Amino acid sequence: MKKPLVIEDLIEGEGDQLSQDLFDGLGELRAGHDEFLRGVKQRIGEEAETSEPMESDESKPQAILKLPVFVQRAAAFFPPILLPQGMIKIGLPVGGKLSTKLLPGVLLLPAISAAMVLLTLALGLRAVLGGEKLGQRQNEVAARDDSKAWWRRYWLPSLVMMIGVVWMLFHAPADALTLLVSFSTLVFLGVYASLTRAGLASRQEVAKRAAVAMYWLMAISLQLSVPDTFGGHGLIGAWLVPLVLVFGGVVCWRLGKLGRRGRDPVAGRSRAVMVVCFVAVVLALHFGPTGKSPTSPEDVNQWLSSLDDTSQINQVELIASNMEAAGELSFDPKALRSAAKRRLDEEIPGRSFNLLYAAALMELGCFEEEHYRALVNPEAIERYTRSAVPMANNARHLLPVLMAELHLGSVSMEQREAIASRVIAAVDPDHKYAHAEDVFYAVRVLDVLGLSDRATELQPAADAILRATWVLEDDEEEGAFASFSIGLERDETGLARADRLTFVWGHATAESIWIMNRLGVPQWMSARDLGVLDAYLERTSRYYGFSGIDAYDAEPAAAQALMHALPEWKAAQAELEPTILGTFYDLRALLAAVLLAAFSIILTWMAPEEGEEVVPLG
Amino acid sequence: MDLESLISSHRGSLIALISTWGASPRDAVELAQDTFSEAYLSRDRYKGEWDDLKALGAWLLGIANNLFHAGQRAGSGGGRLISMPEVPVADRPEDTEAQEREERVRGVQQALLQLKATERTVLLMRYTEGSSLAVIGSLLGLGERAVEGRLRRARAALKEQLEKNMLLEERS
């Protein structure tokens, strides 16, 4: 007699002959219950109580059930490898449905994911390097299994969180990301604080986690927000926050080691070496070629001296002009002039020379007599003075022809006045494509004509254009001048705002600062506006050591040097004298680091040493 | 939950699942025994609740998977894709009912081998011992509804394959 198939949750149509045939056909895969159980018992020992609950209820409730519910649920979210041994030994009564762990999960995910990424990398590295003793290898196999099981379970939320962090990196204020990471780390350590109070975590374990958290935050603070947030405060931004975190981590580590009497010193040393290596790698990444450094005026001069390429000559000329106006220009133009000569000798006879580059090359002294002669065009000057209507093109096209004419020929005062009037009238702040460059070249033409005093006539237009192109970052940490006013999003007061300011606006911003130097800082610009403009220039002038400086780094650096030379900047510095609240706000990252380090040290200090009696609550 | 209950609920579907990884039926049973004993010995490391089938299934699957791959690395285990038991031809030729049944079973075994792996897996897990949808789902990382859907599709595919095979047989 064949055994019938028994299914408790039959689905529609399943009680048919086909199901029975399938059951009959799979007989070889079926093992009798008693026989199967006997096989299992042979493996675990005949005396094993297989009909008793697998959880050991006697030991865990006292200590664990008195933990706050949040901690119990949070502990279920931890991979076992991150939990203290005290907890592992007595098992966990927690877990349950995912929804009950949602809140601790969301709060802990950034910190635990980061810890798991580091741990997985470390385990992978150890597996490749090998060489450990048998006992260690068994532990590592278990750790790898734990880590795999955790990733299998939480890979999706972790992935979502990482995508969220990358998104925040580019679209959210830097403080938001710092807050998220710091808060998550605090919750992580807070859970440990509760476990410590319940006697479930030892000092060594707390020290280890606290130190890793410090180093992790140090890496974050170095690579992400702190240098930008504290743009103008070199020492605080670049050094103090990470130093506090390193100090906190070392103290925690040391406190943990104090309790390890009679332990294997080699293991301790190898861990210390790993920590030192980690810190060294992070510091090397930040301060080495992969880190960003601010561009100083000396760096700009060195870069200008080494420049033998004229492809960005207009930017280069603006950089040199701003440096000169700031009193910082001291570069050797030999290489640049040789490159320019090669280009002019080739392009002018070949009639392929673009006039838009000519004025910059002339200003930088790269033109020789024969080059000027090739550009002289008295008829063009005559044409410019014939009409009184505003010039159709901006003064950028007129400037090189005028410079050549003035260099070799002569332009009458009458002609000069006529050209000046047309150039001034051509600057229209209401034009939808009005931008700082209109004013910049108009002032240049007036200078060349020897009519610089008439530049004041451009002031209202300049003021309006600067106001229309001024953009403030949403979190008001940075401000810059956009290339054009069109296309900017404005708030209800008409002020343009953007979630992030692009480096592309560096050229328009540098031109705007040149204009501010010539025509004065607009009345509407407050000391705070100058401060956020400085923050933008500071950030965009930072360069990666491995790539060196380029025009996009030098341009904001030169503009910043010029801005710092403005009397309005000096007045603003006095006005921006920090208040107590303002100082607290500016030092928020440092204060957070100090509090976190202090919390971690106290937490480690209060934790019982390994080997002490685990005292359950109550 | 005690070990015996755990074995009762998960044994059939786990053996079936292991057999779909390429273990012979005998190896699959052995490996399932190894899995349950390892689970018992390392029960302290389990961090979920014992009545959380999903967590329990994922944990058992992890252990089975590790043991299977460890066995493969060590050169044991593995081998053929899946072998079906030979059903002996009935001793009594006059027992036509038994003969018909054996023919049908043989046909089902052959059709099973012609299905897609996902379809074969869910059928094996269900009909080896009549495991519940929840247990199968816990081992496959699926919800009950998803398992049910997969089972329906697999049954339909099996029926279609059986009809195809029958037609071919008639033509030959």
Side-chain angles (χ1 to χ4, degrees):
Chain A
M1 183 73 189
K2 287 272 177 187
K3 193 180 168 191
L5 166 66
V6 180
I7 296 177
E8 285 177 8
D9 54 349
L10 275 177
I11 63 170
E12 193 189 336
E14 211 179 16
D16 59 1
Q17 186 60 51
L18 179 64
S19 304
Q20 184 62 47
D21 289 347
L22 275 161
F23 181 71
D24 293 342
L26 296 170
E28 203 181 349
L29 288 173
R30 223 157 20 246
H33 180 78
D34 293 341
E35 191 190 340
F36 190 89
L37 186 61
R38 205 163 34 248
V40 174
K41 276 193 165 188
Q42 278 169 1
R43 288 162 169 81
I44 60 179
E46 292 294 341
E47 69 284 358
E49 291 294 344
T50 52
S51 56
E52 298 231 324
M54 285 171 73
E55 61 266 46
S56 48
D57 272 336
E58 305 112 20
S59 51
K60 63 187 166 194
Q62 282 304 310
I64 293 180
L65 293 180
K66 294 202 174 180
L67 285 172
V69 176
F70 178 85
V71 176
Q72 290 187 35
R73 288 176 180 166
F77 184 77
F78 274 61
I81 194 156
L82 288 182
L83 280 171
Q85 281 301 309
M87 198 102 181
I88 301 281
K89 275 177 199 158
I90 59 177
L92 277 170
V94 289
K97 300 200 177 350
L98 190 64
S99 56
T100 62
K101 292 179 284 181
L102 198 59
L103 181 64
V106 167
L107 294 177
L108 283 164
L109 197 57
I112 290 190
S113 292
M116 285 306 289
V117 167
L118 290 177
L119 185 77
T120 308
L121 284 175
L123 286 172
L125 204 65
R126 290 290 288 264
V128 172
L129 297 176
E132 66 275 18
K133 289 173 191 162
L134 184 64
Q136 278 178 303
R137 193 157 57 240
Q138 280 166 348
N139 285 341
E140 287 191 11
V141 168
R144 268 196 284 277
D145 288 345
D146 280 349
S147 147
K148 270 187 210 161
W150 191 88
W151 281 116
R152 205 177 295 126
R153 203 155 185 211
Y154 295 110
W155 70 270
L156 186 59
S158 289
L159 184 69
V160 170
M161 193 277 302
M162 282 171 200
I163 291 171
V165 165
V166 172
W167 180 87
M168 285 179 82
L169 209 57
F170 292 101
H171 298 287
D175 276 347
L177 185 58
T178 311
L179 197 69
L180 173 81
V181 175
S182 308
F183 189 68
S184 183
T185 310
L186 264 178
V187 175
F188 178 83
L189 293 176
V191 169
Y192 250 82
S194 286
L195 298 179
T196 309
R197 277 199 300 277
L200 292 169
S202 71
R203 184 182 291 179
Q204 292 74 39
E205 289 169 324
V206 175
K208 231 185 273 180
R209 270 71 173 184
V212 168
M214 300 284 108
Y215 297 137
W216 155 245
L217 280 177
M218 181 205 69
I220 288 280
S221 69
L222 277 174
Q223 296 297 327
L224 294 180
S225 60
V226 175
D228 288 343
T229 309
F230 291 93
H233 309 235
L235 179 68
I236 296 171
W239 288 100
L240 219 45
V241 170
L243 269 184
V244 167
L245 294 173
V246 169
F247 175 77
V250 169
V251 173
C252 289
W253 200 274
R254 195 68 210 150
L255 282 174
K257 282 203 69 167
L258 283 178
R260 291 174 65 88
R261 286 183 288 271
R263 290 298 167 118
D264 176 14
V266 179
R269 261 207 305 277
S270 94
R271 280 195 205 101
V273 168
M274 278 176 74
V275 170
V276 169
C277 287
F278 173 73
V279 173
V281 166
V282 172
L283 289 175
L285 282 175
H286 184 68
F287 296 105
T290 53
K292 275 190 160 186
S293 315
T295 308
S296 67
E298 293 74 35
D299 295 332
V300 177
N301 278 320
Q302 271 182 18
W303 174 73
L304 283 171
S305 300
S306 65
L307 201 63
D308 58 357
D309 172 28
T310 58
S311 59
Q312 291 175 302
I313 199 67
N314 286 324
Q315 264 179 290
V316 171
E317 197 276 325
L318 177 60
I319 291 164
S321 294
N322 280 342
M323 289 285 284
E324 189 173 21
E328 298 277 6
L329 188 69
S330 64
F331 85 105
D332 177 5
K334 214 160 78 186
L336 186 66
R337 285 182 182 162
S338 306
K341 184 168 165 40
R342 281 196 301 278
R343 180 178 180 179
L344 291 169
D345 289 347
E346 186 188 321
E347 292 183 0
I348 288 182
R351 296 185 174 279
S352 62
F353 183 65
N354 187 340
L355 263 187
L356 291 176
Y357 299 123
L361 289 166
M362 288 175 190
E363 290 279 2
L364 288 165
C366 301
F367 258 55
E368 292 175 359
E369 292 302 307
E370 70 267 27
H371 302 136
Y372 278 114
R373 270 197 293 278
L375 296 191
V376 165
N377 188 351
E379 285 166 18
I381 300 296
E382 184 60 32
R383 209 167 48 243
Y384 282 128
T385 55
R386 209 176 292 150
S387 168
V389 296
M391 215 170 290
N393 293 326
N394 73 20
R396 190 177 176 185
H397 299 83
L398 166 65
L399 188 60
V401 180
L402 200 57
M403 287 174 81
E405 191 62 29
L406 286 165
H407 184 77
L408 294 173
S410 66
V411 181
S412 71
M413 191 46 80
E414 212 171 282
Q415 283 176 316
R416 289 177 193 225
E417 290 288 355
I419 291 172
S421 297
R422 287 193 70 194
V423 164
I424 291 168
V427 180
D428 176 11
D430 297 326
H431 193 279
K432 66 176 180 178
Y433 292 120
H435 56 321
E437 195 170 273
D438 296 341
V439 182
F440 177 77
Y441 279 104
V443 176
R444 282 287 173 93
V445 167
L446 295 176
D447 287 346
V448 166
L449 290 170
L451 298 172
S452 300
D453 53 331
R454 288 194 65 181
T456 52
E457 292 175 41
L458 286 165
Q459 205 161 15
D463 195 293
I465 290 174
L466 292 182
R467 179 152 216 163
T469 52
W470 173 247
V471 190
L472 201 57
E473 204 177 44
D474 280 340
D475 63 3
E476 302 195 358
E477 291 283 347
E478 291 182 5
F481 293 97
S483 305
F484 298 100
S485 63
I486 192 167
L488 298 173
E489 284 181 25
R490 297 180 184 278
D491 62 16
E492 60 281 359
T493 66
L495 182 65
R497 287 184 175 273
D499 54 354
R500 279 282 163 114
L501 304 188
T502 165
F503 77 98
V504 174
W505 293 339
H507 188 64
T509 303
E511 282 179 332
S512 300
I513 291 172
W514 186 91
I515 292 167
M516 280 157 47
N517 178 49
R518 289 301 307 274
L519 304 178
V521 175
Q523 290 290 319
W524 55 264
M525 282 199 86
S526 65
R528 173 78 187 152
D529 288 337
L530 290 176
V532 294
L533 177 57
D534 185 58
Y536 170 77
L537 295 170
E538 173 76 20
R539 175 174 67 80
T540 50
S541 69
R542 288 175 174 272
Y543 69 99
Y544 285 107
F546 64 81
S547 64
I549 298 171
D550 63 17
Y552 294 100
D553 308 313
E555 203 165 36
Q560 191 185 31
L562 177 56
M563 193 176 80
H564 287 177
L566 296 177
E568 287 87 348
W569 169 256
K570 284 165 188 149
Q573 288 302 96
E575 201 180 314
L576 285 174
E577 199 64 45
T579 60
I580 294 177
L581 265 181
T583 308
F584 271 114
Y585 181 75
D586 285 346
L587 296 179
R588 60 196 181 281
L590 181 62
L591 291 173
V594 169
L595 287 175
L596 192 65
F599 176 69
S600 305
I601 291 169
I602 292 169
L603 180 63
T604 310
W605 180 256
M606 286 173 67
E609 286 185 19
E610 207 165 30
E612 280 181 21
E613 190 84 12
V614 170
V615 186
L617 288 179
Chain B
M1 177 177 283
D2 59 78
L3 180 63
E4 290 186 26
S5 314
L6 182 67
I7 289 174
S8 292
S9 59
H10 284 75
R11 180 186 56 228
S13 48
L14 187 64
I15 294 171
L17 182 62
I18 293 170
S19 77
T20 63
W21 296 342
S24 66
R26 187 193 166 89
D27 287 340
V29 172
E30 292 268 332
L31 202 56
Q33 286 174 323
D34 288 343
T35 303
F36 286 112
S37 49
E38 181 61 31
Y40 180 81
L41 292 172
S42 60
R43 60 193 183 280
D44 286 344
R45 297 176 68 80
Y46 176 61
K47 294 299 161 279
E49 275 188 359
W50 289 98
D51 57 0
D52 181 354
L53 264 187
K54 219 166 181 181
L56 204 51
W59 181 54
L60 282 179
L61 178 68
I63 295 173
N65 207 12
N66 287 344
L67 290 174
F68 178 73
H69 286 109
Q72 277 198 322
R73 278 196 295 274
S76 66
R80 53 204 165 122
L81 266 175
I82 176 170
S83 71
M84 293 298 167
E86 287 293 321
V87 180
V89 178
D91 294 336
R92 293 174 296 166
E94 66 275 13
D95 188 351
T96 50
E97 197 186 321
Q99 269 186 332
E100 271 174 25
R101 194 182 64 221
E102 279 152 13
E103 291 249 328
R104 275 201 321 271
V105 169
R106 220 189 322 270
V108 165
Q109 288 177 334
Q110 192 190 345
L112 264 179
L113 292 170
Q114 293 167 299
L115 293 183
K116 283 193 275 183
T118 48
E119 294 165 345
R120 190 167 55 238
T121 301
V122 76
L123 289 173
L124 258 62
M125 290 176 80
R126 178 71 163 178
Y127 297 108
T128 296
E129 285 194 19
S131 299
S132 71
L133 297 173
V135 166
I136 296 170
S138 74
L139 287 169
L140 292 178
L142 298 170
E144 284 183 56
R145 296 285 296 274
V147 176
E148 188 181 333
R150 199 175 274 195
L151 190 58
R152 281 181 198 283
R153 286 192 295 279
R155 283 175 57 88
L158 180 66
K159 281 180 185 167
E160 200 179 316
Q161 192 61 49
L162 281 168
E163 282 167 16
K164 265 190 212 169
N165 292 352
M166 217 180 291
L167 270 176
L168 280 173
E169 207 172 307
E170 279 171 16
R171 277 183 199 165
S172 66

